[in-house]
Amino acid sequence: MADDTHPLLEGLGVERVSEPVAVVIFGASGDLTSRKLMPALHALMAGNQLSPATAVVGVGRSELSDDDFRERMRKAVEEAGPVDERAWQALAAGLRYVSGGYGDEDTYRRLEVVLDGLDERIGTSGNRLYYLSTPPRVFATVVHRLGQRGLHRPAGEGKFARVVIEKPFGRDLRSAVQLDEALHEVLDEEQIYRIDHYLGKETVQNVLALRFANSIFEPVWNRRYVDSVQITVAEASGVGHRAGFYEEAGALRDIVQNHALQVLALMAMEPPASMSPKGIRDEKVKALEAVDLLTPSEVATETVRGQYGPGWVAGEEVPGYLEEPDVDPSSHTETYVAMRLRIDNWRWAGVPFYLRTGKRLPKRATEVALGFKAVPHLPFAATQATELGPNALVLRIQPDEGITLRFGAKVPGQAFEVRSVSMDFSYGAAFIEAPAEAYERLLHDALLGDPTLFIRTDEVEQAWRIVQPLLDAWAEDPHPPAPYAAGTWGPARADELLAEDGRTWRRP
Ligand SMILES: NC(=O)c1ccc[n+]([C@@H]2O[C@H](COP(=O)([O-])OP(=O)(O)OC[C@H]3O[C@@H](n4cnc5c(N)ncnc54)[C@H](OP(=O)(O)O)[C@@H]3O)[C@@H](O)[C@H]2O)c1
């Protein structure tokens, strides 16, 4: 093809400027707003990707004046990196704060007055992006109140009112359905943008580029050549100051239900006809639908739940989960999950997908590895190939983003000996363009009305459908999770799970 852009990739990463808009952040006094949202808005403004007529309105119970809020946001931007004064001034002119309870009618009356004022003064022209950055239990209340006031309705032809929702989307299948019902009482699905920041990562999007812009990978991307797939989301950190949240969530809800299954869907999906939001999301849903649900007895044989004990990580002695501040000393919350899943369709029948995630593992690493089948016949003596492992294609999502291909090569010398070697592609070395921060990419997409990288309601439900049997079985299980020492790769049972199939976990 003469053009450089593959038709499937059109629109991805092309610089676009969003329309005038008021971004309303509920829970703006919180951590996410300071650490991610405001720095992302600043970076977008500095990159000329936002209309100069972009206002940011914080809403929250904390009593703050407009000036207090502006000062906080300035600090947040400074902490994130160098400040572009022109961009900051443009944003600062449209920064407002509305104090009030999320269920309080008067909050929304005053919010409406502020928004109308911004339309007049800044020219935000009736467009609204509501960002729900509060704890999830407040989501339904905010949306209900927006609906009562009519603030959820686009201000006219060609105008938009969208709502961005942060994960977690429910805490099980039932509550996820309930949350969606509450949202849909007020909003159309097209107005809802459910964020999983993993999908904002360049390397996650690169799974699509790798698979669908190249002709050399797709022919082997199936059961005929792939022996097994491993998805690893490893964290070296412990629960930190998030014990309150984590005790309620655990690794299954925190990572598997969203990030890990999103990565699995992108790996396993069929090629979409186009990169349209519908094209991609339809195929992801189909892949998730094809995941075989575990029965209660299979939860015991196909999954592993673990909890870290004391140990050493990166040369530092660290406490076990039960010794962490604010953790119930008899807690059964899992900090590690491993599972073997099957995808029942033509492409993947018989290929095990091994997923694992954990805290306090030896290093932070997210990767997807395809292990390939052995050649049908090895024309060498076994002694000539003792150091030959399976061919593997590894997509390193973070850190050290890149791709590694492992294959056999002849060891130089008189003897004919074959050994596995790696061919490496590294983003940092191949591109001078800095990757956009995930929140930058996703906020910009939400402002542009591109929902491709957001999670549709049926994706959320399919993901809960897959993890629900584990939640149910573990809730009934009186045994504590299997212990593992901090700084190791999880409980021994996780190694046995793969050993049963004659395989081993990769060491990222
Ligand atoms: N922080 C992250 O890195 C991160 C990552 C992924 C997802 N998320 C999700 O993003 C959302 C916001 O995260 P965050 O870390 O900014 O949350 P946060 O700091 O705990 O809360 C944000 C704001 O919500 C209000 N709030 C807190 N507890 C409340 C309660 N019980 N009832 C009503 N309002 C309450 C507070 O504002 P006022 O007191 O002023 O009302 C608080 O400043 C959450 O849904 C979280 O799960 C966060």
Side-chain angles (χ1 to χ4, degrees), residues 378-389 408-411 414-420:
L378 201 62
F380 321 117
T383 49
Q384 291 173 302
T386 48
E387 291 182 66
L388 177 65
K410 183 184 171 303
V411 181
Q414 296 294 339
F416 198 94
E417 201 185 315
V418 185
R419 184 189 297 165
S420 286

Side-chain angles (χ1 to χ4, degrees), residues 26-36 59-64 72 97 100 102 131-139 166-168 197 242 245 439:
F26 290 89
S29 55
D31 169 70
L32 187 73
T33 306
S34 292
R35 229 164 29 81
K36 297 289 180 186
V59 183
R61 300 167 307 177
S62 306
E63 292 278 347
L64 299 176
R72 268 192 192 212
Y97 189 82
Y102 302 105
Y131 199 115
L132 306 196
S133 183
T134 62
R137 73 180 79 96
V138 186
F139 292 171
E166 269 290 343
K167 79 163 185 108
H197 70 267
R242 291 172 77 220
F245 158 79
Y439 273 95

Side-chain angles (χ1 to χ4, degrees), residues 370-415:
L370 278 82
F372 290 90
K373 292 188 171 165
V375 293
H377 167 68
L378 201 62
F380 321 117
T383 49
Q384 291 173 302
T386 48
E387 291 182 66
L388 177 65
N391 291 158
L393 181 68
V394 184
L395 315 186
R396 300 189 309 274
I397 290 172
Q398 68 180 16
D400 181 24
E401 293 82 354
I403 295 170
T404 300
L405 186 63
R406 275 187 80 72
F407 55 94
K410 183 184 171 303
V411 181
Q414 296 294 339

Side-chain angles (χ1 to χ4, degrees), residues 298-505:
E298 283 172 336
V299 172
T301 58
E302 306 301 296
T303 75
V304 180
R305 67 171 176 150
Q307 191 182 67
Y308 64 83
W312 291 79
V313 178
E316 195 188 323
E317 191 167 17
V318 296
Y321 181 71
L322 299 180
E323 288 88 57
E324 299 274 17
D326 300 326
V327 169
D328 172 359
S330 59
S331 172
H332 282 192
T333 298
E334 79 284 356
T335 62
Y336 178 96
V337 179
M339 57 203 290
R340 174 168 49 203
L341 290 176
R342 290 185 299 272
I343 300 185
D344 287 342
N345 60 20
W346 272 55
R347 185 184 287 268
W348 296 118
V351 178
F353 278 68
Y354 303 107
L355 266 61
R356 67 176 160 170
T357 182
K359 286 196 174 293
R360 287 288 188 224
L361 299 184
K363 63 196 285 200
R364 171 170 169 260
T366 300
E367 63 161 49
V368 181
L370 278 82
F372 290 90
K373 292 188 171 165
V375 293
H377 167 68
L378 201 62
F380 321 117
T383 49
Q384 291 173 302
T386 48
E387 291 182 66
L388 177 65
N391 291 158
L393 181 68
V394 184
L395 315 186
R396 300 189 309 274
I397 290 172
Q398 68 180 16
D400 181 24
E401 293 82 354
I403 295 170
T404 300
L405 186 63
R406 275 187 80 72
F407 55 94
K410 183 184 171 303
V411 181
Q414 296 294 339
F416 198 94
E417 201 185 315
V418 185
R419 184 189 297 165
S420 286
V421 293
S422 291
M423 195 159 73
D424 262 316
F425 155 76
S426 150
Y427 271 88
F431 294 105
I432 48 163
E433 295 89 345
E437 235 276 310
Y439 273 95
E440 254 172 68
R441 167 75 205 225
L442 293 172
L443 259 171
H444 195 223
D445 280 0
L447 288 167
L448 292 166
D450 181 350
T452 311
L453 300 176
F454 295 82
I455 322 280
R456 206 167 60 186
T457 177
D458 46 357
E459 288 181 69
V460 175
E461 282 182 25
Q462 283 304 326
W464 279 119
R465 193 186 65 92
I466 295 165
V467 304
Q468 190 65 48
L470 283 71
L471 292 174
D472 292 342
W474 292 352
E476 297 291 309
D477 186 352
H479 304 99
Y484 62 98
T488 66
W489 281 105
R493 172 67 197 129
D495 291 330
E496 289 163 22
L497 186 74
L498 267 72
E500 288 164 6
D501 298 344
R503 301 190 179 93
T504 52
W505 289 107

Side-chain angles (χ1 to χ4, degrees), residues 11-64:
L12 273 189
V14 178
E15 301 275 312
R16 297 159 291 173
V17 180
S18 56
E19 289 177 49
V21 62
V23 178
V24 182
I25 305 175
F26 290 89
S29 55
D31 169 70
L32 187 73
T33 306
S34 292
R35 229 164 29 81
K36 297 289 180 186
L37 304 183
M38 201 60 209
L41 287 165
H42 167 260
L44 287 169
M45 186 63 95
N48 298 317
Q49 289 168 290
L50 297 187
S51 158
T54 299
V56 180
V57 184
V59 183
R61 300 167 307 177
S62 306
E63 292 278 347
L64 299 176

Side-chain angles (χ1 to χ4, degrees), residues 217-233:
F217 298 115
E218 203 51 24
V220 297
W221 209 270
N222 56 56
R223 65 187 304 275
R224 217 169 297 159
Y225 297 96
V226 176
D227 166 75
S228 62
V229 177
Q230 292 189 17
I231 298 176
T232 300
V233 183

